[in-house]
């Protein structure tokens, strides 16, 4: 969602802010803006609906003018995407500028109060209310300095925010605060960077402070970084982290899109997820997070998996895996439903949160609820040190590397890999999975990266040809059974989010209970039909589709004949255990969605209306 970049130092702030905003484009946004302090204690703002390049077109006169500034990419919440609603917002006296990620829930009440005091508003945003509240506190008592006024204001608001504020009478100073939305401070040599994640400043410094929940910081060239709690104003000694992120990881490396790069990275990312954990020759799975809390898992009444979107699909496959191999009951919940439905949670429950970004607001809130009610919380996150990773009791990182494309690909297969490791480890430990089966399953899991590599090379061109035939499709059905039912849901989500073609995933057997009514010669149906896993039943489903002239795109195992003969298009993947087949089968489905979207001219890395990390509910 919204992206924040700030800079104070000796370099040209314009270049750093604009390049930083380009790095944050992946988060999803609809408008962009910049404010600089021009060296004469005057704030200069440019902002526009549209992309960062639109901002560049109207703001290049600011280049070279300032050593301090900040910029924003906005994903609209309060008020439509427009020039007026774009950030930065100025206070009524024009002295303060703010950029904000999140939602101020009580902005209306504060706006009424400020309006009664004579303040006026140019935008419909909650953010403009906050900057005027800061001015209000400075006006109220002229002794109140800028950081103190920010603190007073933050104590009056509730909701979620990451903010950066500048004041024209405080040259070189940035004040930041955080509650619920991430914010990183890059520490350079006589310069400081602010950003929603470290990608905007990774080439300048490898040292960063991740601001904690409920903390604010005053950053100045003179006094460095002064961190305080927002409520108590207590001083905090910051923990400076060494960044592992490299520039190469956040660049396209010759691929046309990040999504394609990330699809092709999967042999490596799945391997990286298993690295140091799956030791086939020793016949063990080493996972400290699980092992250190093995009694919690062993004695759990049930495991509740909480997630959203693609991560929720991974959770469904996790349910199949854990119930099959560890025989522990599992429930999978949408975080957004769980948090509001007063669920029964006890201290005998283990909650597993799955989140690529580790910042999803609904998942975060659901976890807090589960924690309050005594559950043990385990996290599966890709982003190291993310908010979810920090509030969990224990967890496993997926180590898939930064995922920039909004459509999740390598993070999904990494999540499936972690869930496979967890299920097999728990099953082996609690005796539900015998040694011979365990050994054969871990050997198969170990072979998955090579199978993904084979699928990528054998299906890449074929899938492009298939995609060309469906660029004008208006609907798609995706069907699968067992482990591949969630894989069908995921295939459908990939297509709809980047190509804007309506697509639904179903368990194949559910077709007869409704969706079959949609099938005619214009309906493409992607069916996942590996040999292991209800193959005979799938054969019948394909017959039923063909009897109604549906167009079948079948994902089958190499050498398949029965389903292949009946299908209009056949994509072959190598055979593997049913439980791992979604990892392999998802790859051609990602490619299919990708190429259909590309041929339709869609912006695959930044699909309309979507954000990479959904930091508001
Ligand atoms: O970062 P998270 O895994 O918590 O994100 C959850 C969803 O927002 C995410 O998976 C979303 O559905 C993706 N756009 C799917 O490609």
């Amino acid at each position: 969602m919204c992206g924040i970049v700030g800079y104070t130092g000796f370099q040209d702030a314009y270049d750093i802010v604009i390049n930083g905003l380009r790095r944050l484009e992946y988060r999803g946004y609809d408008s962009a803006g910049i404010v600089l302090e021009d060296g004469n204690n005057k704030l200069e703002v440019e902002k526009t609906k549209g992309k960062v390049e639109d901002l560049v077109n109207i703001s290049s006169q600011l280049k070279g003018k300032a050593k301090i500034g900040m910029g924003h990419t906005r994903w609209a919440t309060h008020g439509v995407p427009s020039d007026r609603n774009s950030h930065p917002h100025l206070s009524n006296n024009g002295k303060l500028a703010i950029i904000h990620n999140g939602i101020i829930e009580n902005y209306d009440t504060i706006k009424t109060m400020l309006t009664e005091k004579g303040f006026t508003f140019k935008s419909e945003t909650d953010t403009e209310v906050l900057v005027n509240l800061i001015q209000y506190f400075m006006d109220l008592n002229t002794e109140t300095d800028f950081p103190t006024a920010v603190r007073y204001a933050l104590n009056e608001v509730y909701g979620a925010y990451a903010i950066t504020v500048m004041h024209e009478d405080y040259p070189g100073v940035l004040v930041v605060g955080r509650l619920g939305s991430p914010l990183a401070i890059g520490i350079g040599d006589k310069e400081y960077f602010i950003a929603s994640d470290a990608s905007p400043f990774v080439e300048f410094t490898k040292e960063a402070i991740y601001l904690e929940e409920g903390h604010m910081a005053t950053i100045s060239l003179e006094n460095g970084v002064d961190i305080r709690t927002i409520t108590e104003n207590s001083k905090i000694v910051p923990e400076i982290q060494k960044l592992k992120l490299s520039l190469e990881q956040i660049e396209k490396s010759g691929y046309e899109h990040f999504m394609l790069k990330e699809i092709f990275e999967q042999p490596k990312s799945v391997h990286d997820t298993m690295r140091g954990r799956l030791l086939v020759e020793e016949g063990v799975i080493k996972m400290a997070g699980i092992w250190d809390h093995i009694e919690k898992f062993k004695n759990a009444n049930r495991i509740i998996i909480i997630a959203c979107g693609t991560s929720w699909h991974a959770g469904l496959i996790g349910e199949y895996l854990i119930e099959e191999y560890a025989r522990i009951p599992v429930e999978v919940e949408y975080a957004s439903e769980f948090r509001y439905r007063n669920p029964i949670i006890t201290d005998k429950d283990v909650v597993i949160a799955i989140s690529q970004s580790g910042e999803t607001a609904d998942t975060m809130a659901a976890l807090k609820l589960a924690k309050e009610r005594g559950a043990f919380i385990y996290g599966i996150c890709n982003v190291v040190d993310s908010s979810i990773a920090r509030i969990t009791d224990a967890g496993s990182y997926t180590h898939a590397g930064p995922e920039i494309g909004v459509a999740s690909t390598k993070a999904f297969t990494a999540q499936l890999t972690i869930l496979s490791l967890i299920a097999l480890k728990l099953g082996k430990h609690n005796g539900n999975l015998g040694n011979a089966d365990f050994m054969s399953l871990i050997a198969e899991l170990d072979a998955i990266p090579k199978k993904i590599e084979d699928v990528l090379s054998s299906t890449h061109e074929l899938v492009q040809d298939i995609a060309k035939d469906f660029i004008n499709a208006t609907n798609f059905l995706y069907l699968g059974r067992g482990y591949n039912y969630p894989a069908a849901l995921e295939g459908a989500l990939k297509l709809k989010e980047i190509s804007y073609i309506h697509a639904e995933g179903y368990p194949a057997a559910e077709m007869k209970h409704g969706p079959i009514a949609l099938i005619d010669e214009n309906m493409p149906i992607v069916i996942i039909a590996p040999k292991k896993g209800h193959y005979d039943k799938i054969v019948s489903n394909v017959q039923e589709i063909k009897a109604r002239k549906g167009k079948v795109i079948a994902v089958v195992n190499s050498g398949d004949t029965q389903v292949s003969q009946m299908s209009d298009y056949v994509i072959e993947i190598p055979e593997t255990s049913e439980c791992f087949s979604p990892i392999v089968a998802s790859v051609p489905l990602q490619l299919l969605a990708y190429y259909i979207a590309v041929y339709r001219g869609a912006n695959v890395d930044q699909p309309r209306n979507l954000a990479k990390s959904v930091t508001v509910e």
Side-chain angles (χ1 to χ4, degrees), residues 307-312 354-360 363 388 403 406-409 415 490 493-494 497 610-614:
C308 302
T310 289
S311 299
W312 183 80
I354 308 178
S355 176
Q356 186 286 130
S357 62
E359 301 294 345
T360 303
T363 309
I388 291 173
E403 190 180 67
V406 162
S408 191
T409 52
Q415 289 165 347
E490 174 59 11
L493 177 63
K494 283 294 83 82
E497 68 181 336
L610 289 178
K612 183 66 185 166
S613 50
V614 184

Side-chain angles (χ1 to χ4, degrees), residues 12-32:
D12 179 20
Y14 180 82
D15 279 349
I16 289 184
V17 169
I18 293 290
N19 288 332
L21 291 180
R22 287 190 180 114
R23 296 258 171 84
L24 295 180
E25 283 192 296
Y26 79 93
R27 295 170 69 86
Y29 71 106
D30 46 58
S31 33

Side-chain angles (χ1 to χ4, degrees), residues 266-267 270-271 274 445-454:
Q266 288 175 109
V270 167
H271 183 261
M274 297 191 291
L445 187 55
D446 192 49
I448 293 291
K450 174 74 176 78
K451 290 186 181 175
I452 298 176
E453 204 175 298
D454 293 345

Side-chain angles (χ1 to χ4, degrees), residues 180-332:
S181 300
L183 208 60
I185 304 168
I187 318 283
D189 185 13
K190 300 192 183 66
E191 58 182 348
Y192 297 95
F193 306 83
I194 311 293
S196 299
D197 64 47
S199 59
F201 54 76
V202 67
E203 71 263 49
F204 300 110
T205 178
K206 291 282 184 220
E207 295 200 333
I209 298 166
Y210 287 91
L211 201 62
E212 298 279 352
E213 287 283 274
H215 288 181
M216 60 179 286
T218 304
I219 298 147
S220 68
L221 295 178
E222 238 171 78
N223 301 316
V225 181
D226 178 50
I227 302 184
R228 307 265 163 172
T229 59
I230 292 169
T231 46
E232 308 295 332
N233 197 29
S234 313
K235 197 168 168 62
I236 302 288
V237 180
E239 195 190 321
I240 298 179
Q241 316 245 354
K242 282 263 173 246
L243 297 174
K244 292 209 182 92
L245 191 67
S246 70
L247 204 51
E248 197 198 0
Q249 285 178 305
I250 53 170
E251 287 180 336
K252 286 188 204 152
S253 313
Y255 286 91
E256 201 182 336
H257 295 101
F258 282 109
M259 182 176 173
L260 190 62
K261 177 188 175 218
E262 287 155 10
I263 291 172
F264 272 86
E265 278 173 348
Q266 288 175 109
K268 179 174 183 309
S269 53
V270 167
H271 183 261
D272 287 347
T273 306
M274 297 191 291
R275 192 204 304 271
R277 291 170 168 152
L278 180 59
L279 308 176
V280 180
E281 273 157 32
E282 293 168 39
V284 289
I285 291 173
K286 279 196 177 163
M287 295 181 89
I290 297 287
W291 189 244
D292 293 347
H293 304 279
I294 196 74
E295 292 304 309
K296 285 272 178 204
F297 283 93
K298 204 169 160 187
N299 300 323
N301 279 347
R302 60 181 176 159
I303 291 174
I304 306 169
I305 299 181
I306 293 175
C308 302
T310 289
S311 299
W312 183 80
H313 296 154
L316 290 178
I317 295 171
E319 175 184 24
Y320 285 38
L321 279 158
I322 295 170
E323 290 206 345
E324 177 165 3
Y325 294 115
R327 308 304 296 160
I328 303 170
V330 179
E331 289 167 22
V332 186

